[in-house]
Amino acid sequence: MASVTCTLLLLMCCCCLYISLLAEAANNVTYDKRSLIIDGERKLLISAAIHYPRSVPAMWPGLVKAAKEGGVDVIETYVFWNGHEPSPGNYYFGGRYDLVKFVKIVQDAGMLLILRIGPFVAAEWNFGGIPVWLHYVPGTVFRTDNEPFKHYMQNFTTLIVNMMKQDKFFASQGGPIILAQVENEYGFYEGAYGEGGKTYTQWAAKMALSQNTGVPWIMCQQWDAPDPVINTCNSFYCDDFKPSYPTMPKIWTENWPGWFKTFGGRNPHRPAEDVAFSVARFFQKGGSVHNYYMYHGGTNFGRTSGGPFITTSYDYDAPIDEYGLPRFPKWGHLKELHRAIKLCEHALLNNEPTLIHLGAQLEADVYEDKLGNCAAFIANIDDKNEKTVQFRNASYTLPAWSVSILPDCKNVVFNTAKVGCQTSTIEMVPEQLQPSTSSPNKDLKAESWQIFVEKTGIWGEPDFTRNGFVDHINTTKDTTDYLWHTTSLHVDENDGSKLKLVIESKGHALHAFVNGVLQASAAGNGTVSPFNFTSPVSLKAGENEIAVLSMTVGLQNAGSFYEWVGAGLTSLKLKGLKNGTLDLSNNKWSYKIGLEGEHNSLYDAGAPNKNWNSVSEPPKNQPLTWYKAIVDAPPGDEPIALDMVHMGKGLAWLNGEQIGRYWPRKAPNDKCVKECDYRGKFNPDKCNTGCGEPSQRWYHVPRSWFKPTGNVLVIFEEKGGDPTQIRFSRRILSTLCAHVSDDHPSFAINDLQKNKVSLELKCPMDKHISSFTFASYGTPTGTCQSYVIGNCHDPDSRSVVEKLCLNKNECVVELSKENFKIELCPGITKKLSVEATCS
Ligand code: GAL
């Protein structure tokens, strides 16, 4: 990866010292007002959230490695109660939920861990992580002074703590866990619960402390967390945050380096420069533990996403993308930032800062001790203008909204707004589905599609019949997304030809059928679930069946009393009849929970084949259809996604593994940006892309789910699509670009090494640099994929970079006189721009 070189010696020393410190098992974690103190030593910690069920075990070692290479010391994860306890007392810790395995991988990598047990977690995770069954334990109210809730919460917390103790995972036992969290951002909602809220907070803290983990507990956004539980900050910026007690360190549990997406929403991005700015400001202002939420967001497989409407992708624009590959330039820029901050660690943690105002919106914080160790952070908070400042008899120019880091109070090794690392272009390369010639099961016929068409309305016997509507969630208890409602009505010969169906729903989505024909589909918007709509409808003279398939799309995951938010139909009327409007809301309705295909486990790769019918061509635009194909794995080793842009809405599986909900629902056409201005305060709507495009087109299918051949792909399509257009797409990094100038901040702070600015290139996985489509040392202009040679150009540029980089996975090109004609065009700042391909 990118940018500038550290003096080799300096880098080697800090690295060995650093690795040896972390690889040693921790034993004693305490804190004071400045930092955590691990085995007697103050620590400045960079932490990265990676949620274990949002990827697969085969990806975990690579994710942890990529975090470590990115300069991260600590992995942070929530614990996902509803994944671990699907029904009361029935526990699951296998597959993606193998928490012990995940912690071991972190430990084996010589890294530390923050365990946010919650067990309420929010996290855009179904029901905020609390099992839905708990809502139906009589008398339960979540997250307040309520006996059943407290009983189950304590039970689960104790189970997790004991499990961690058993493997000696707490630092106090020599393991990697240095902090544990109870609850999550309850401070925002405590007031809504009155006295019960306050009592609950105190109870939760006490219950946590009584677990005797031997490591400190934290509560985020919990201003009344009792000593010794540490209140921590969650926000896009936490430089102004003050711990609740003067004895406590300043900890940032959630710095959001991007944001999540909803079906029908735009695609949010947070620029790397602003993320780096927020992190640098935090450490400038006395912070000592910082966590990226998320560092790898991953995927909400199956029906795990919260909501309503959180997408299956939880990419989050995080430094590691959904597929597990470093995202450039974000990952690389933050890696450089971490390196710069770590060079300041000793000076930062052992001195009081002196704040120096260098002008309007210009602040230097200087950390200096009597021995002469000195580190300074200089910030230009002006969100428009570059500024030049005088500091200790030297002059420094800072771009707008940026922080320069000077680990020796003299040399700038990093500026948050100057990105020197590579960028990359990603392509999703489609592959036709390759029918397998072999089949996993002698009953399954390969080389063709098989289908199963759901009956419209009640299949089999109704689960119950009653007058009026029920709450959707109280009825399905989230065992499925789907709930059928049917009723019938008689229409006279002459009873209006311009009929309209008027439906109101508490959420989340529905399809309305009349006499087996899909009439309309509707859904709430954003994260607002209620909706209503009017649609023309055709009825025949005589008996008509109205069938409504109501769906949930991820349960509410935050807010006060969120577990009581319902979903489903509240009113259904027919307008335009001879006698006016007919309200069918209190009609006799028959109900069926779930689909017949779900009942028959059609998604299960090994399920008997009796329900499926072979077809030579799969039907298109047909609602309520299950499709099955037996396919080969796509070639290569790149990450794979299922391209569902030609499908409607539904669920997908591969080999019985749940890919998740798909819904290529389009984002609105407005409020996107072409270029994102990193300057100024970020909010999730600031830098959106994807206007008018499906919020999610590609659905991650982990490589480890594939066999070379005979893979069972199952799709349930609700409203109609074209399955012949389904593709696996390979995620391929097509182009690498980098450009860095002679005067870029350099880690070479030793005078002898001055001006050894360098540019680094790295291909993903084990790919190699196969060609250079552009290389110029001089005054090239333009941006990636449109670089142009300038007036000043070293004609040997290309041969130099080819010699150093071709056929290598990574390479470093120094902007030195050995490599380039640095004497060219004197007096002009020159730069090196390159564009390369990996294969
Ligand atoms: C926080 C919450 C996290 C997550 C985040 C947004 O408020 O603690 O769990 O939901 O917001 O991604």
Side-chain angles (χ1 to χ4, degrees):
M1 113 73 265
S3 97
V4 275
T5 12
C6 167
T7 75
L8 209 55
L9 265 179
L10 181 64
L11 180 66
M12 278 168 57
C13 298
C14 19
C15 289
C16 353
L17 183 70
Y18 177 51
I19 288 166
S20 72
L21 278 179
L22 284 182
E24 269 170 36
N27 280 303
N28 188 2
V29 184
T30 56
Y31 61 77
D32 66 8
K33 66 174 183 175
R34 185 63 190 96
S35 70
L36 292 186
I37 300 169
I38 302 183
D39 293 338
E41 216 173 315
R42 294 190 174 289
K43 284 283 161 201
L44 192 153
L45 296 170
I46 309 283
S47 167
I50 300 176
H51 293 160
Y52 51 98
R54 284 178 154 144
S55 58
V56 288
M59 289 170 68
W60 294 343
L63 294 175
V64 169
K65 185 161 167 263
K68 186 164 184 170
E69 281 174 12
V72 165
D73 316 304
V74 185
I75 301 297
E76 181 264 21
T77 183
Y78 281 132
V79 176
F80 296 86
W81 184 4
N82 52 12
H84 291 303
E85 196 174 352
S87 58
N90 162 26
Y91 294 106
Y92 179 67
F93 286 91
R96 290 185 287 119
Y97 291 91
D98 194 342
L99 174 59
V100 166
K101 185 175 192 168
F102 182 76
V103 180
K104 270 216 161 73
I105 287 169
V106 173
Q107 182 172 37
D108 290 347
M111 298 177 84
L112 302 173
L113 191 102
I114 299 176
L115 194 66
R116 301 174 82 193
I117 299 177
F120 168 80
V121 297
E124 290 72 66
W125 186 264
N126 197 39
F127 227 38
I130 301 184
V132 173
W133 55 256
L134 184 52
H135 179 51
Y136 299 101
V137 169
T140 303
V141 182
F142 289 5
R143 305 176 76 203
T144 185
D145 189 12
N146 170 276
E147 289 310 321
F149 184 75
K150 291 191 303 184
H151 166 80
Y152 284 99
M153 171 167 164
Q154 175 159 8
N155 207 31
F156 182 72
T157 307
T158 309
L159 179 102
I160 294 297
V161 166
N162 286 345
M163 186 177 259
M164 297 296 103
K165 281 184 182 168
Q166 199 175 357
D167 277 288
K168 302 203 169 9
F169 280 156
F170 286 104
S172 50
Q173 305 171 288
I177 303 176
I178 50 164
L179 291 176
Q181 178 178 304
V182 65
E183 252 296 339
N184 189 76
E185 291 194 338
Y186 188 63
F188 288 135
Y189 308 106
E190 188 182 287
Y193 293 88
E195 274 309 304
K198 286 189 202 149
T199 319
Y200 168 68
T201 299
Q202 302 308 311
W203 170 84
K206 227 169 119 195
M207 184 275 285
L209 292 169
S210 75
Q211 300 284 340
N212 289 320
T213 60
V215 302
W217 283 89
I218 56 174
M219 290 178 100
C220 58
Q221 302 289 103
Q222 190 69 63
W223 300 274
D224 55 352
D227 194 356
V229 176
I230 308 170
N231 174 34
T232 66
C233 182
N234 294 349
S235 185
F236 286 109
Y237 306 91
C238 279
D239 36 308
D240 289 339
F241 176 78
K242 298 255 173 315
S244 299
Y245 294 87
T247 49
M248 294 181 176
K250 183 161 156 176
I251 299 180
W252 191 355
T253 28
E254 292 185 26
N255 182 2
W256 306 306
W259 200 243
F260 56 85
K261 270 198 301 199
T262 56
F263 286 119
R266 304 170 189 88
N267 193 4
H269 300 279
R270 184 175 182 196
E273 295 93 328
D274 180 60
V275 182
F277 174 81
S278 68
V279 179
R281 287 290 287 159
F282 176 69
F283 286 108
Q284 169 168 9
K285 293 293 171 195
S288 56
V289 181
H290 167 279
N291 176 62
Y292 295 101
Y293 182 102
M294 303 296 298
Y295 192 77
H296 168 256
T299 311
N300 295 313
F301 293 113
R303 302 193 304 113
T304 59
S305 71
F309 307 126
I310 304 294
T311 52
T312 298
S313 168
Y314 198 62
D315 178 84
Y316 221 90
D317 198 29
I320 302 179
D321 70 21
E322 175 174 8
Y323 299 85
L325 300 179
R327 167 171 276 119
F328 292 105
K330 197 172 274 182
W331 181 88
H333 191 52
L334 297 176
K335 173 180 173 165
E336 297 297 327
L337 166 71
H338 303 153
R339 192 156 132 193
I341 291 169
K342 285 288 173 168
L343 289 174
C344 306
E345 179 170 6
H346 190 270
L348 284 178
L349 294 183
N350 294 290
N351 304 297
E352 287 295 327
T354 310
L355 170 65
I356 308 175
H357 287 284
L358 298 171
Q361 296 181 297
L362 289 163
E363 284 182 353
D365 283 270
V366 185
Y367 295 78
E368 187 173 28
D369 66 19
K370 292 184 195 83
L371 299 172
N373 288 316
C374 186
F377 284 59
I378 306 179
N380 174 14
I381 308 158
D382 188 322
D383 60 11
K384 289 189 187 61
N385 304 303
E386 176 178 290
K387 297 261 171 82
T388 298
V389 299
Q390 300 300 317
F391 174 68
R392 296 196 166 198
N393 300 323
S395 163
Y396 300 87
T397 300
L398 284 91
W401 198 256
S402 79
V403 180
S404 282
I405 300 179
L406 296 69
D408 59 354
C409 283
K410 209 162 110 199
N411 292 286
V412 176
V413 299
F414 183 86
N415 175 279
T416 56
K418 293 187 179 170
V419 178
C421 84
Q422 71 184 26
T423 59
S424 60
T425 316
I426 303 285
E427 270 178 70
M428 300 301 281
V429 179
E431 298 282 334
Q432 291 267 3
L433 293 188
Q434 286 302 326
S436 284
T437 43
S438 75
S439 156
N441 170 335
K442 66 178 174 23
D443 291 338
L444 291 183
K445 207 167 149 254
E447 292 174 47
S448 70
W449 286 88
Q450 296 179 310
I451 61 162
F452 171 79
V453 185
E454 291 274 335
K455 183 177 173 314
T456 309
I458 307 295
W459 52 275
E461 287 299 306
D463 286 323
F464 59 95
T465 298
R466 56 164 277 171
N467 289 338
F469 295 125
V470 294
D471 179 77
H472 181 124
I473 300 170
N474 286 345
T475 309
T476 61
K477 300 197 167 54
D478 200 38
T479 51
T480 166
D481 279 356
Y482 302 102
L483 178 64
W484 275 114
H485 313 50
T486 61
T487 195
S488 58
L489 88 153
H490 187 92
V491 172
D492 288 341
E493 195 80 50
N494 55 352
D495 215 344
S497 55
K498 290 203 174 129
L499 296 181
K500 289 213 164 88
L501 189 62
V502 184
I503 296 188
E504 289 175 19
S505 167
K506 280 184 277 177
H508 305 165
L510 62 76
H511 304 298
F513 299 82
V514 174
N515 301 325
V517 179
L518 179 61
Q519 306 285 320
S521 300
N525 223 339
T527 50
V528 181
S529 54
F531 62 94
N532 47 46
F533 73 97
T534 303
S535 139
V537 68
S538 47
L539 298 179
K540 59 180 192 214
E543 278 306 293
N544 290 272
E545 187 196 58
I546 299 191
V548 179
L549 182 62
S550 171
M551 282 105 40
T552 45
V553 191
L555 301 193
Q556 194 89 14
N557 55 259
S560 35
F561 301 102
Y562 74 91
E563 77 271 29
W564 302 93
V565 176
L569 290 189
T570 49
S571 159
L572 189 145
K573 293 177 186 156
L574 263 184
K575 271 192 176 163
L577 291 162
K578 194 170 64 216
N579 294 336
T581 298
L582 179 65
D583 189 347
L584 298 171
S585 309
N586 291 317
N587 251 35
K588 192 165 151 207
W589 288 88
S590 296
Y591 290 88
K592 190 77 185 177
I593 298 167
L595 307 167
E596 186 171 2
E598 289 180 303
H599 183 79
N600 292 331
S601 307
L602 292 190
Y603 44 79
D604 189 343
N609 220 19
K610 61 179 189 327
N611 299 295
W612 293 98
N613 293 309
S614 288
V615 286
S616 50
E617 273 289 304
K620 296 178 188 170
N621 302 321
Q622 180 172 288
L624 304 175
T625 306
W626 292 77
Y627 296 96
K628 177 157 78 176
I630 317 297
V631 292
D632 284 347
D637 55 2
E638 299 87 0
I640 299 297
L642 199 59
D643 180 352
M644 299 301 266
V645 73
H646 296 285
M647 296 299 283
K649 178 180 181 300
L651 297 168
W653 295 261
L654 184 86
N655 295 328
E657 302 279 1
Q658 309 177 323
I659 298 169
R661 298 187 183 97
Y662 68 86
W663 191 6
R665 189 183 197 193
K666 289 192 177 152
N669 274 316
D670 58 339
K671 302 202 183 124
C672 281
V673 295
K674 270 228 166 67
E675 295 250 311
C676 177
D677 184 353
Y678 76 88
R679 299 171 304 172
K681 284 231 156 160
F682 179 78
N683 68 69
D685 286 326
K686 186 175 171 191
C687 294
N688 281 319
T689 61
C691 279
E693 290 168 23
S695 312
Q696 186 174 358
R697 169 173 179 175
W698 288 281
Y699 298 80
H700 184 203
V701 191
R703 272 276 176 193
S704 62
W705 287 357
F706 282 95
K707 301 175 280 181
T709 185
N711 298 284
V712 182
L713 178 67
V714 174
I715 309 289
F716 170 65
E717 169 59 44
E718 297 167 11
K719 59 182 186 183
D722 183 355
T724 65
Q725 301 286 331
I726 295 175
R727 299 282 180 272
F728 284 127
S729 291
R730 292 192 288 156
R731 188 169 175 88
I732 291 181
L733 183 146
S734 54
T735 318
L736 281 186
C737 288
H739 60 123
V740 61
S741 61
D742 284 336
D743 64 355
H744 191 82
S746 165
F747 279 92
I749 56 175
N750 175 330
D751 278 343
L752 287 173
Q753 303 285 332
K754 261 213 121 162
N755 295 329
K756 283 271 178 78
V757 171
S758 63
L759 172 152
E760 298 183 24
L761 294 174
K762 183 169 172 30
C763 291
M765 302 188 296
D766 53 2
K767 306 261 181 255
H768 292 94
I769 298 169
S770 50
S771 68
F772 280 90
T773 40
F774 186 89
S776 173
Y777 176 76
T779 53
T781 55
T783 54
C784 188
Q785 297 189 307
S786 64
Y787 288 130
V788 189
I789 286 172
N791 290 335
C792 179
H793 169 67
D794 178 346
D796 295 333
S797 305
R798 183 184 292 250
S799 60
V800 170
V801 294
E802 283 179 352
K803 200 165 119 225
L804 291 167
C805 298
L806 272 191
N807 301 318
K808 292 190 179 156
N809 171 257
E810 56 186 313
C811 67
V812 178
V813 183
E814 280 185 2
L815 276 63
S816 63
K817 65 176 186 307
E818 287 75 29
N819 285 335
F820 299 102
K821 297 188 180 57
I822 55 173
E823 67 283 359
L824 273 179
C825 342
I828 296 180
T829 307
K830 291 175 284 296
K831 67 176 175 180
L832 173 64
S833 298
V834 299
E835 187 180 304
T837 51
C838 297
S839 55

